[in-house]
Amino acid sequence: MQETRLDIARIRAARRMIDPVFLDTPLYRCEALEPSLGCTVSIKLETANPVRSFKARGTEVVASLLADHGPRAVVCASAGNLGQALAWSGRGRGLDVTVVASRCAPAAKLDRIRALDAGLELVDGDFEMARERAAAVARYDGIRLVEDSLDIETCEGAATIGLELVDTVPSFDTVLIALGGGALATGVGHVMKALAPEVEVICVQPLGAPAMTHSWRRRSVVTTDSTDTIADGVAGRRPIPAVLNDLLLVADDAVLVEEASIIAGMRMLLDHAGLVVEPSAALGIAAILEDRDRFAGRHVVTIVCGSNVDVDAYRRWVDAPLSQGP
């Protein structure tokens, strides 16, 4: 394969920097989901950890390297999950962490960032406005900017999920990956293409936040003026060119799903797997729901990537009439 920015040797080394609490996460076949989806479904569960998402795999690598030979103060923009993860990883290594987030981010995510002793600055506007403010803080204060997906450590930390997947028995033939900024998709996708090239890598994004998918399809950066999705964790508007270049090399397809399918996926994961997940984590199930024929007869792995969800909003979504789903 052509070369991405990622490196398998560094990904293997990243495993040694990550607290074991985030490694070797559960991977299991969920037979209860299969009658409704028409295929064999395995879940890779990235929520059973102190920050309830996969993001700490990347922040553990970032924080480890900074603790050894980097600045002691860092800032990042976050929709919520990266901020929690960086706060957790930084606190354990004596780093001074500031998180910039949208005032509209889920309150539960913001509360957990504060609880992890990080400084929190809120901005009006969306995640892209938070990105701009975080970059300004880094410039003005002379501290390290951690930018999810652009910083290769975030991608290679996420890629350790791929190492765990390729060691599984029995093997699978498709992996469904939530697509936002691209760290998870490029990380896992790189490992699949390098070590299990027969596995189809399919990225999934909400129809209401399609910038990266449109960019992948057109092979050049496409931005959008706004987003409209409950999946706040993947609601970016401005893809990073270097990340898109990696994604073009490792993704076999990128698909968009409707909000009703995301909600139906969340409900199915609750009813049939006993999992409370945030909308981004249900994207894989949503993709199967919208195209059952494509996945019929396959063994599909879906990465359940986060469970930091506002409880009141979650109840509204999953208690909505079933007729709203596909």
Side-chain angles (χ1 to χ4, degrees):
M1 66 181 269
Q2 292 177 267
E3 290 189 2
T4 71
R5 296 178 301 144
L6 290 81
D7 177 79
I8 290 293
R10 288 200 309 264
I11 294 166
R12 295 189 188 281
R15 276 187 59 87
R16 298 190 289 273
M17 302 181 202
I18 299 170
D19 190 302
V21 74
F22 300 107
L23 296 173
D24 300 312
T25 51
L27 174 66
Y28 58 94
R29 181 177 171 186
C30 188
E31 293 184 59
L33 284 169
E34 295 174 2
S36 298
L37 298 177
C39 59
T40 301
V41 180
S42 289
I43 287 171
K44 180 64 167 165
L45 188 64
E46 292 294 312
T47 64
N49 62 57
V51 299
R52 304 186 197 177
S53 83
F54 77 95
K55 292 289 187 180
R57 289 182 184 253
T59 60
E60 284 286 279
V61 180
V62 170
S64 292
L65 293 172
L66 290 177
D68 289 341
H69 49 72
R72 308 301 296 181
V74 296
V75 60
C76 74
S78 176
N81 287 347
L82 179 74
Q84 289 179 69
L86 187 60
W88 194 95
S89 298
R91 185 179 66 174
R93 294 169 175 83
L95 303 183
D96 181 10
V97 176
T98 299
V99 179
V100 183
S102 168
R103 206 175 301 277
C104 299
K109 294 184 178 182
L110 301 180
D111 289 344
R112 292 185 188 119
I113 292 170
R114 295 186 184 98
L116 289 165
D117 300 329
L120 179 63
E121 179 177 336
L122 300 180
V123 299
D124 295 322
D126 62 8
F127 170 71
E128 300 298 346
M129 302 300 292
R131 279 177 64 185
E132 292 178 4
R133 176 57 184 163
V137 169
R139 288 195 303 271
Y140 298 152
D141 295 346
I143 62 177
R144 166 69 185 271
L145 173 65
V146 176
E147 189 157 5
D148 198 19
S149 304
L150 180 60
D151 283 12
I152 198 63
E153 298 90 348
T154 62
C155 303
E156 292 181 338
T160 60
I161 297 171
L163 293 181
E164 294 167 19
L165 288 176
V166 298
D167 289 336
T168 62
V169 177
S171 60
F172 55 95
D173 51 49
T174 306
V175 60
L176 296 169
I177 310 173
L179 178 60
L184 182 62
T186 59
V188 175
H190 177 89
V191 174
M192 292 298 108
K193 291 308 165 194
L195 303 180
E198 71 281 1
V199 174
E200 185 177 26
V201 175
I202 302 177
C203 304
V204 190
Q205 197 165 40
L207 189 62
M212 187 62 100
T213 296
H214 286 332
S215 299
W216 182 87
R217 291 175 178 176
R218 298 184 189 180
R219 304 189 69 82
S220 63
V221 170
V222 176
T223 62
T224 61
D225 294 331
S226 62
T227 61
D228 183 15
T229 179
I230 62 172
D232 59 284
V234 293
R237 297 188 286 110
R238 302 172 188 167
I240 299 169
V243 182
L244 173 61
N245 290 340
D246 290 339
L247 190 69
L248 289 170
L249 295 173
V250 302
D252 295 302
D253 200 2
V255 300
L256 298 171
V257 295
E258 304 209 10
E259 298 295 291
S261 302
I262 299 172
I263 293 170
M266 294 170 69
R267 185 183 294 120
M268 290 185 70
L269 286 166
L270 175 64
D271 291 345
H272 301 301
L275 297 175
V276 175
V277 305
E278 60 188 85
S280 301
L283 288 169
I285 301 298
I288 302 172
L289 285 170
E290 291 199 3
D291 198 353
R292 288 179 176 87
D293 289 344
R294 175 176 186 172
F295 298 101
R298 296 192 186 188
H299 184 173
V300 178
V301 170
T302 182
I303 300 173
V304 175
C305 55
S307 63
N308 289 300
V309 66
D310 180 87
V311 174
D312 291 336
Y314 180 83
R315 286 173 176 155
R316 289 196 304 273
W317 296 326
V318 299
D319 290 342
L322 288 172
S323 60
Q324 292 188 16

